[in-house]
Each structure stands twice: as structure tokens, then as C-alpha cells.
């Protein structure tokens, strides 16, 4: 990433919008915006191969209401919401905070909610370290590009879900997950 170039581009954008870039409030805006965008675009790796053996447990692990923020690649506007992630382990479980870290690492960059949802599901399901029987990921978010501009649909939320393994094949597993998260998960 090139901070100098990003700052010059933001300054150019402000000029194109007929803004006086020398006034106090706008003088440092190109630097601030460039830093904000570079922070959003910096990859954050989540190590999800650290597992613990769990021979007796045969159930479902769910982490609910994990907050996340990302930036819509179509409008460069932030969107923010909550993720609910469930999986059925096969003798190995993941440290619980790793699921939150996984959501965080998948929400960096310029993305879409659909893309984050699939990436979380794929990384969880494809991880050799966990070898889970299946996973389910449900995200609910409010998008600035929908609530602040265009349709001005404030309060409207977007829900996306992805299923892998047993959650795709066994409706009862999906049902159990949904009944456990809807209690105070999704509105
Ligand atoms: Zn958008």
C-alpha cells in the first residue's frame, strides 16, 4: 500500500467535490482517510489450527453475537453487524476466541457480507486442524450504503447464511442452531 498516493487521491477527490482543502477541518482529512482505509485493508491473520482434544463431546458449539465491521467494496462505506457461528466438532474443538478472530480476519479489506459469510464457513470447514463435521455461519448487518444513501432504509438489516457438511445435509442440525441463536441473537 502507498500512503502518499492514497492521501493525494483523497485530496483530489475533495477538490473534485469543490471543497477547500486548506481550511482547518479538511487540512488533515486526506491523511486521516488514507490511514483509515489502509487500516481496513491490512490483512489480519487468524490462526485457527490451535485445537484441544475433546473425546466425549458430541454436540454443537455456537458462538453468538460476534461484532464485526467491514467495508462494502461497492460504495466504500462501512457496514457493521453481528456474526453467529456454529460447528460440530470431530474429537477436536477450537479455542472459543478463535471463532471471533476468524470473523474479524475475514472482515478486513473491501468486501461484501456474502463474501465474509462464505469465507468464514470455508475456513472453518476446510481447516485440517479442526476437521469438523459441519459448520453454519449467519451474519446480520446494517449497511451504510443502504441506510445513509439511496433507499435510506434505516434499520433494515441484511441476513446471510452459509452451511457446510452436516448442516447442509441434516435439517434438524440447522433447526437446532437457529433455535439456539434466535433466543437473543437475531432480532
Ligand atoms: Zn454498498
Amino acid at each position: 500500500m502507498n500512503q502518499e498516493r492514497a492521501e493525494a487521491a483523497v485530496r483530489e477527490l475533495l477538490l473534485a467535490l469543490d471543497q477547500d482543502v486548506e481550511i482547518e477541518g479538511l487540512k488533515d482529512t486526506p491523511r486521516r482517510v488514507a490511514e483509515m482505509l489502509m487500516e481496513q485493508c491490512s490483512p489480519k491473520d487468524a490462526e485457527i489450527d490451535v485445537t484441544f482434544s475433546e473425546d466425549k463431546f458430541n454436540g454443537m458449539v455456537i458462538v453468538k453475537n460476534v461484532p464485526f465491521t467491514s467495508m462494502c467494496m461497492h460504495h466504500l462505506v462501512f457496514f457493521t453487524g453481528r456474526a453467529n457461528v456454529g460447528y460440530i466438532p470431530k474429537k477436536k474443538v477450537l479455542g472459543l476466541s478463535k471463532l471471533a478472530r476468524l470473523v474479524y480476519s475475514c472482515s478486513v479489506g473491501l468486501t461484501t457480507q456474502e463474501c465474509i459469510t462464505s469465507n468464514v464457513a470455508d475456513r472453518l470447514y476446510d481447516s485440517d486442524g479442526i476437521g469438523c463435521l459441519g459448520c453454519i455461519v449467519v451474519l446480520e448487518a446494517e449497511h451504510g450504503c443502504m441506510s445513509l444513501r439511496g433507499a435510506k432504509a434505516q434499520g433494515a438489516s441484511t441476513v446471510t447464511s452459509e452451511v457446510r457438511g452436516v448442516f447442509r445435509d441434516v435439517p434438524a442440525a440447522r433447526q437446532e442452531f437457529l433455535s439456539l441463536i434466535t433466543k437473543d441473537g437475531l432480532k
Side-chain angles (χ1 to χ4, degrees), residues 54-62 86-93 132-134 166-167 173 176 180:
E54 191 63 72
D55 285 337
K56 283 187 187 160
F57 186 75
N58 283 314
M60 188 181 295
V61 180
I62 299 174
Y87 73 104
I88 298 181
K90 197 165 59 182
K91 294 195 176 6
K92 277 180 180 175
V93 294
C132 66
L133 295 173
V166 287
F167 285 97
E176 182 181 339
L180 288 166

Side-chain angles (χ1 to χ4, degrees), residues 72 74-75 145:
C72 156
H74 303 134
H75 298 95
C145 61

Side-chain angles (χ1 to χ4, degrees), residues 125 133-136 162-171 173-174:
Y125 191 54
L133 295 173
C135 66
I136 181 165
E162 279 277 19
V163 288
R164 300 284 184 270
V166 287
F167 285 97
R168 190 176 43 214
D169 305 332
V170 183
R174 283 201 299 278

Side-chain angles (χ1 to χ4, degrees), residues 71-79 111-112 143-146 149:
M71 184 171 272
C72 156
M73 61 166 26
H74 303 134
H75 298 95
L76 302 189
V77 174
F78 283 109
F79 61 95
T111 62
T112 63
H143 291 250
C145 61
M146 193 160 78
R149 57 165 285 288

Side-chain angles (χ1 to χ4, degrees), residues 101-113:
R101 284 199 165 279
L102 177 60
V103 172
Y104 179 60
S105 84
C106 289
S107 58
V108 299
L110 310 177
T111 62
T112 63
Q113 183 176 330

Side-chain angles (χ1 to χ4, degrees), residues 26-162:
L26 282 181
K27 223 157 59 177
D28 285 330
T29 298
R31 177 185 54 78
R32 283 189 292 259
V33 174
E35 284 174 359
M36 177 184 75
L37 293 171
M38 286 170 66
E39 189 190 334
Q40 175 62 31
C41 291
S42 300
K44 316 242 177 350
D45 212 25
E47 182 59 66
I48 58 159
D49 288 337
V50 183
T51 53
F52 304 98
S53 292
E54 191 63 72
D55 285 337
K56 283 187 187 160
F57 186 75
N58 283 314
M60 188 181 295
V61 180
I62 299 174
V63 175
K64 297 203 289 191
N65 291 321
V66 178
F68 71 91
T69 298
S70 189
M71 184 171 272
C72 156
M73 61 166 26
H74 303 134
H75 298 95
L76 302 189
V77 174
F78 283 109
F79 61 95
T80 178
R82 303 259 160 186
N84 302 278
V85 183
Y87 73 104
I88 298 181
K90 197 165 59 182
K91 294 195 176 6
K92 277 180 180 175
V93 294
L94 202 60
L96 292 177
S97 68
K98 300 290 183 218
L99 288 175
R101 284 199 165 279
L102 177 60
V103 172
Y104 179 60
S105 84
C106 289
S107 58
V108 299
L110 310 177
T111 62
T112 63
Q113 183 176 330
E114 292 88 337
C115 177
I116 299 172
T117 313
S118 316
N119 283 344
V120 172
D122 284 340
R123 287 191 57 190
L124 195 53
Y125 191 54
D126 297 340
S127 162
D128 295 335
I130 318 165
C132 66
L133 295 173
C135 66
I136 181 165
V137 182
V138 176
L139 264 60
E140 181 174 29
E142 190 167 337
H143 291 250
C145 61
M146 193 160 78
S147 57
L148 305 173
R149 57 165 285 288
K152 299 213 190 300
Q154 270 179 35
S157 62
T158 303
V159 179
T160 46
S161 76
E162 279 277 19

